[in-house]
Amino acid sequence: MFFSIIIPLYNRPQEIKELLQTLTLQSYKNFEVLVIEDGSVNDAEEIVKSFVGQLDVRYFVKENAGQGFARNFAFERAKGDYFIIFDSDCLIPEDYLQIVNNSLTKNWLDAYGGPDDAHPSFTPTQKAISYSMTSPFTTGGIRGNKKGIGQFHPRSFNMGISRQVWEKAGGFIITRLAEDLEYSIRIHSLGFKIGLIPDAKVYHKRRTNFLQFYKQIHFFGRARINVYKFHPTQLKLIHFFPAFFTLSLLFTAISNIFNWRIAVLCNVILALIILLIFFHAWIKNKSAKIAFLSLVASFIQLTAYGLGFMQDFWKRIILKRS
């Protein structure tokens, strides 16, 4: 099988260098790489060209329109039987393509997604953010890297679709705000077979500090409402959990001022949540420091998502603004 690896890029030359370096180490060699520079000011042309001879790589430049439409641009030019999408801030294990090829040969999927993890070289903050984005105790547990919570939806940091899917479903119809989730839902609606390939993981850097992380997750909370506008049946009770959590923190704070009896119960529940996340992160990362940072990242994730969700729920659903 011939794969076309598609990577949209916006002002991240160093990241694409590290990603392409990991692709040169792939044990499976039957693939091409398409890098789409989406109107970057700080472009990566020279970096990408330095990999010519090591990779079958093509570099394109287009006006900025967002990652969804950059991927569409690549779909139209890809030669592969199967398209694989990565975010530019990923590192790819050397057996990734071999795992995907073996899995699709044994159990065909029209589209697939894979999990993400923290690389040993990541900073403690990046490892903490990775924990919060994959933990079963945060929204990370429902973002496409686990089985068992509703319909599986691949996400664009680690996602593959067959050429047949693209020919029938077309490309992305929105370019930001959960464009990958909307695309996955649409692929499902057309009857294609979608699944998780558990061993096809990538190392996803995500954000490098908590302020960037807050902004990203706030955006994700808003994005859930954007998906609702296209697919109303996809808004489930579980998607309200971060908003409930955020409101419960506010209620706990108010209770501590005005009603100590209620405050005692709220504080006990909050303490149990803190201990659960802290010790789970400690066991997973074998580091008290990363466990503490994971606790911070988890609370940022839940509240940022909750605030973004509530913001656009109020504006776009209650007030019906576009």
Side-chain angles (χ1 to χ4, degrees):
M1 187 181 303
F2 186 67
F3 294 109
S4 291
I5 296 176
I6 292 166
I7 309 164
L9 185 64
Y10 183 71
N11 288 333
R12 293 183 175 184
Q14 184 57 36
E15 286 185 349
I16 193 65
K17 181 178 181 180
E18 294 171 353
L19 193 163
L20 293 177
Q21 183 60 44
T22 65
L23 291 178
T24 66
L25 304 175
Q26 290 297 302
S27 58
Y28 187 91
K29 303 296 185 182
N30 200 20
F31 67 95
E32 65 170 353
V33 182
L34 290 81
V35 177
I36 313 302
E37 192 82 73
D38 189 35
S40 300
V41 175
N42 186 13
D43 70 62
E45 182 175 5
E46 293 305 316
I47 289 174
V48 175
K49 286 183 177 179
S50 72
F51 284 89
V52 173
Q54 300 179 70
L55 292 169
D56 178 4
V57 59
R58 290 186 282 155
Y59 177 78
F60 301 91
V61 178
K62 62 180 291 296
E63 292 184 358
N64 178 258
Q67 62 267 26
F69 295 163
R71 298 180 193 117
N72 290 349
F73 183 94
F75 291 160
E76 295 169 358
R77 292 157 177 80
K79 302 174 183 176
D81 311 301
Y82 216 99
F83 306 156
I84 297 177
I85 302 166
F86 294 135
D87 282 351
S88 63
D89 58 351
C90 289
L91 302 176
I92 316 302
E94 62 184 23
D95 58 351
Y96 177 93
L97 290 178
Q98 190 65 62
I99 288 170
V100 170
N101 187 70
N102 292 347
S103 180
L104 294 177
T105 301
K106 183 177 179 181
N107 179 31
W108 175 258
L109 294 171
D110 298 296
Y112 78 87
D116 62 328
D117 202 356
H119 192 269
S121 66
F122 287 4
T123 68
T125 298
Q126 286 177 310
K127 291 178 180 178
I129 290 173
S130 179
Y131 169 82
S132 72
M133 292 299 289
T134 56
S135 170
F137 306 119
T138 67
T139 59
I142 62 172
R143 292 196 70 255
N145 66 329
K146 300 289 182 183
K147 292 182 177 179
I149 303 180
Q151 200 176 59
F152 175 71
H153 296 127
R155 300 304 179 98
S156 58
F157 63 83
N158 183 7
M159 177 182 184
I161 65 167
S162 68
R163 176 172 287 276
Q164 290 74 23
V165 166
W166 173 65
E167 289 172 348
K168 185 171 182 180
F172 294 86
I173 61 172
I174 51 178
T175 194
R176 300 183 181 89
L177 277 175
E179 77 289 344
D180 52 352
L181 180 55
E182 188 287 324
Y183 195 33
S184 293
I185 293 169
R186 191 153 35 93
I187 293 171
H188 268 293
S189 71
L190 293 172
F192 287 108
K193 185 179 180 182
I194 304 179
L196 171 71
I197 302 181
D199 295 329
K201 72 176 181 180
V202 300
Y203 299 113
H204 198 183
K205 297 177 188 177
R206 301 188 184 277
R207 297 301 181 258
T208 57
N209 63 62
F210 287 140
L211 179 58
Q212 292 175 345
F213 183 53
Y214 175 88
K215 292 178 179 179
Q216 181 188 45
I217 301 304
H218 186 272
F219 191 81
F220 287 171
R222 295 178 55 214
R224 175 55 65 174
I225 303 303
N226 199 43
V227 170
Y228 164 81
K229 302 299 288 186
F230 289 89
H231 305 283
T233 61
Q234 292 297 319
L235 189 61
K236 309 294 185 182
L237 183 62
I238 195 169
H239 299 132
F240 288 82
F241 170 70
F244 293 150
F245 178 84
T246 303
L247 293 173
S248 71
L249 288 181
L250 178 62
F251 179 76
T252 299
I254 293 172
S255 298
N256 276 286
I257 299 172
F258 296 107
N259 191 320
W260 68 268
R261 290 183 178 86
I262 296 177
V264 169
L265 177 61
C266 292
N267 289 330
V268 168
I269 294 173
L270 183 59
L272 290 174
I273 294 172
I274 290 172
L275 290 172
L276 184 65
I277 293 174
F278 179 83
F279 284 106
H280 183 261
W282 193 350
I283 292 169
K284 183 172 181 179
N285 288 285
K286 298 178 177 60
S287 166
K289 179 181 179 179
I290 295 175
F292 174 76
L293 293 173
S294 296
L295 184 62
V296 175
S298 296
F299 271 68
I300 289 174
Q301 185 191 9
L302 289 166
T303 54
Y305 191 104
L307 290 170
F309 182 93
M310 289 187 287
Q311 171 188 307
D312 275 31
F313 186 91
W314 176 255
K315 288 171 62 176
R316 303 187 65 187
I317 297 179
I318 303 300
L319 299 182
K320 301 186 183 303
R321 294 177 183 171
S322 61

